[in-house]
Amino acid sequence: FEYYSITSELPQPQKLSFSPNPHNKIGLYFGWRWIFLGWSVDVDDIYRKTNRKNRGTEFDLSLYSSKLGVDIFYRRTGNNYKIHKIRGFSEDIPSNYSEDFSGIKVDIKGLNLYYIFNNRKFSYPAAFSQSTNQRRNAGTFIAGFSISKHHLDFDYTELPVFLQQTMNPGMKVKDIKYTNANISFGYAYNWVFTRNCLACLSLTPAIAYKASDVDAETNEAKAWYGKFNLDFLVRAGIVYNTGKYYVGTSFVGKNYNYHRNNFSVDNGFGTLQIYAGFNFNTRKEYRKKK
């Protein structure tokens, strides 16, 4: 799932929101301790040929150990966005207005590092990589650092003419490149609600410093900006794990905010997984006694 919202407040509050259709993928994964490798294919590519220019590229790698976690991610969008929300324009435009829009291209790449304080009792792998089992409820504080690079190419001339005619000058930003560096502190909790069943919820707000290079059609011309904003990282999962077999679902979502004078961009993307699998060659101390 993914969305982008572009907002300007002057001379009147306006907002345009864009999102592509969700991508559905199927794949196989193999894990050993905290390393998980896998391969997946877009379901649309199996049943029908997808237009090459509409294809995006996505790479996500998460490593979970008892003390440390690492997320490495890269996303390059295709040209399959839709306008799905309009605010502050003509009253004649219906609230459920939707139209294809090929004027957004985005590149995001980044790295998250975080530390688990209560690592003796709390296990991220029990919820997200199924390499361990947690038998009792436990929570933990989490601290982390993240750095990412964002490139948004927004061609507003691809918008319908009736939107271009009335949009705020502050929204006419062609190109944004910014580096996002943040320090985060949050909390996660694993709830063992019945035998072999675990639910996890983790919320990590982050104070982020963004240094940006902006190319706008305003009197400001091209300039560098530095500003602090608030970002979020959310993880949630539920799993049934007998030690040998497991089935479950998990969600990881990221939200980034960029604000500059009379222009702002909110971006969010997330992955929802449904999985089933089994463990083999377990360490001797974790094998069930007959």
Side-chain angles (χ1 to χ4, degrees), residues 89-106:
F89 290 83
S90 171
E91 295 181 357
D92 296 332
I93 303 174
S95 58
N96 59 349
Y97 176 85
S98 178
E99 183 173 327
D100 291 341
F101 180 66
S102 60
I104 282 186
K105 296 179 182 178
V106 182

Side-chain angles (χ1 to χ4, degrees), residues 10 43 54 91 109 112 114 131 136 157 174 181 206 218 220:
L10 297 173
V43 174
N54 289 338
E91 295 181 357
K109 51 181 174 285
N112 297 328
Y114 46 92
S131 57
R136 295 182 180 180
T157 62
K174 292 182 177 180
T218 66
E220 301 170 33

Side-chain angles (χ1 to χ4, degrees), residues 77-93:
T77 63
N79 295 327
N80 59 342
Y81 278 83
K82 292 181 180 292
I83 303 172
H84 74 89
K85 184 181 291 185
I86 296 176
R87 188 190 72 191
F89 290 83
S90 171
E91 295 181 357
D92 296 332
I93 303 174

Side-chain angles (χ1 to χ4, degrees), residues 33-34 36 62-66 114 116 121-140 142 187-193 196-203 234-242 246-252 271-277 279:
R33 293 191 176 182
W34 48 270
F36 261 69
S62 295
L63 306 178
Y64 302 100
S65 70
S66 60
Y114 46 92
I116 311 298
K121 297 181 179 180
F122 176 90
S123 173
Y124 254 149
F128 297 103
S129 64
Q130 298 78 51
S131 57
T132 64
N133 266 358
Q134 183 169 321
R135 300 301 188 186
R136 295 182 180 180
N137 300 339
T140 183
I142 303 169
Y187 189 80
Y189 191 79
N190 279 350
W191 175 38
V192 183
F193 55 92
N196 297 327
C197 292
L198 180 144
C200 177
L201 179 62
S202 170
L203 177 61
V234 178
R235 302 177 195 271
I238 183 169
V239 59
Y240 172 75
N241 190 345
T242 66
Y246 57 84
V247 60
T249 182
S250 66
F251 174 79
V252 178
T271 301
L272 175 67
Q273 292 184 323
I274 299 172
Y275 56 83
N279 292 311

Side-chain angles (χ1 to χ4, degrees), residues 152-225:
L152 171 65
D153 184 356
F154 175 52
D155 186 0
Y156 66 88
T157 62
E158 295 285 337
L159 289 169
V161 175
F162 65 88
L163 291 178
Q164 295 184 47
Q165 292 174 342
T166 57
M167 69 187 302
N168 292 346
M171 299 182 77
K172 296 180 179 180
V173 175
K174 292 182 177 180
D175 191 71
I176 294 177
K177 295 179 181 179
Y178 70 89
T179 299
N180 181 95
N182 68 50
I183 296 175
S184 60
F185 188 79
Y187 189 80
Y189 191 79
N190 279 350
W191 175 38
V192 183
F193 55 92
T194 189
R195 181 176 174 82
N196 297 327
C197 292
L198 180 144
C200 177
L201 179 62
S202 170
L203 177 61
T204 312
I207 297 176
Y209 180 76
K210 305 180 193 308
S212 59
D213 184 8
V214 179
D215 188 3
E217 280 204 354
T218 66
N219 295 329
E220 301 170 33
K222 192 170 184 177
W224 278 91
Y225 295 87

